Amino acid sequence: MAGIYLHIPFCKKACHYCNFHFSTQTNHIQAFVDALIKEITLQKSYLNEPIETIYFGGGTPSLLNELQLKKIINALYTHFEIAPVIECTLEVNPDDLKSSNVVAWKQLGINRLSIGIQSFQASALAWMNRAHTVEQSHHAIQIAKKAGIDNISIDLIYGTPTLSDEELIADLDWIEKYQIKHVSCYALTVEDKTALKKLIEKKQLEEVDPEQQARQFELLSSRLKKIGLEHYEISNFAVPGFRSKHNSNYWSGVPYLGLGPSAHSFNEISRQWNIANNALYIQSINKGQVLFEIESLTTSMRYNEYMMTSLRRIEGFDLEYIQAKFGDKILEHCLLTVESMRSKNYFVKTSKGHTLNSEAKFLADGIASDFFILTTSQLL
Ligand code: SF4
């Protein structure tokens, strides 16, 4: 089985913290959609397995109209073998969600909505420079539920300097009230080349406080678990049966094809990423060429990536898998690394290997880097 990711690189407004690839020049959407459909035909041989997940991400995929979405989905069904039952996710911003849209999306086979709520607090939305209002967030969830879409994920951002613990608790109250099945929670990060970084440097916005972020992570993690959502990945919580299949497949090393500017693809032996420039993307596709960079994945790169993703997941890492995929030397290195951290009590044993305890989860990326190797020859 495999997955397809489609990157829709347009947004109405630039959020201060965002470092994804997008443009606010929405007058180019139709030219982009035409190019995307051509890319589908150009890339039809990349995957040799049936597709079980399709994910429209961005950017803001909900800026596409019904006809544009329909043409893209039809092209996917024409050129790929799509499994009879699939998970098909559309990322939507609350201000785009209307009753008529949801009905059309359902008819097109979209069965999961990922709504970019981020916060139910007006001050936090203003701080982030989001395009939507709190009222639109409530309205969006109510419309989606009324239309019978049960598989709803919402994104939340915590650790924004203006967000108090009480406000975060109020956000979590809404999640409980709406019985949301999946929540992705991200700590606000200050990325290079973002408006946020510049505004902080000019002292026009407050700095992020790591202690507040750690405290709010703990707060939301314990509350979401209490209301029945499983903390299945460091940033993701789901009611049993509602994990994101698409993202879970990424983390398990399932192949995927990324379409659109900046989209990444992976086929177990290499990773490639399309050019992150809308105009050049459209131009090259119209000439029948996909512009991308590619890197071959060495054993050490694949092992490092496995450690990074597995330590973020509830299941942790699997020692038999490490031995089978990466060999005895890497297994030995992995076990020695666990031993070297014994005094820190980060790990909990599982039937297959080890996972991080809930306090250590917040440190997962740093802990994973202690397992990394540069080359397999360093272990000989
Ligand atoms: S809507 Fe999403 S992709 Fe667009 S600017 Fe905001 S965070 Fe970035």
Side-chain angles (χ1 to χ4, degrees), residues 117-121 138 154-158 163-180 183-185 215-229 237:
I117 300 285
Q118 317 307 351
S119 173
F120 289 97
Q121 311 301 322
H138 288 291
I154 74 165
D155 287 348
L156 272 192
I157 292 182
Y158 63 94
L163 187 75
S164 67
D165 291 357
E166 291 69 31
E167 286 174 324
L168 179 63
I169 291 168
D171 284 357
L172 298 167
D173 288 343
W174 283 116
I175 288 168
E176 181 172 6
K177 183 170 187 296
Y178 287 128
Q179 300 182 354
I180 299 296
V183 186
S184 297
C185 303
R215 190 180 65 245
Q216 293 193 345
F217 176 77
E218 194 45 50
L219 204 155
L220 65 86
S221 156
S222 58
R223 175 71 184 276
L224 291 174
K225 278 190 248 172
K226 201 168 156 197
I227 60 173
L229 285 87
F237 299 79

Side-chain angles (χ1 to χ4, degrees), residues 9-10 36 44 76 95 99 120 247 270 274 304 314 365 373:
F10 297 97
L36 187 67
K44 64 183 179 189
L76 291 175
D95 43 323
S99 304
F120 289 97
N247 289 337
S270 67
N274 284 355
N304 293 347
I314 198 171
D365 292 352
I373 50 174

Side-chain angles (χ1 to χ4, degrees), residues 8 15 27 39 58 86 120 125 133 137 156 163 221 265 271 300 335-336 344 354 373:
I8 312 301
C15 303
N27 53 328
E39 193 192 358
I86 63 160
F120 289 97
L125 294 180
T133 63
S137 292
L156 272 192
L163 187 75
S221 156
S265 304
R271 181 177 305 289
S300 52
L335 290 169
L336 285 172
K344 296 187 173 150
H354 295 83
I373 50 174

Side-chain angles (χ1 to χ4, degrees), residues 11 13-15 17-18 20 22 58-60 93 130:
C11 295
K13 194 174 171 187
C15 303
Y17 57 88
C18 182
F20 295 132
F22 71 93
T60 311
N93 275 355
R130 294 288 306 184

Side-chain angles (χ1 to χ4, degrees), residues 262-273:
S262 81
H264 284 228
S265 304
F266 164 77
N267 63 1
E268 295 177 297
I269 47 172
S270 67
R271 181 177 305 289
Q272 63 188 54
W273 51 97

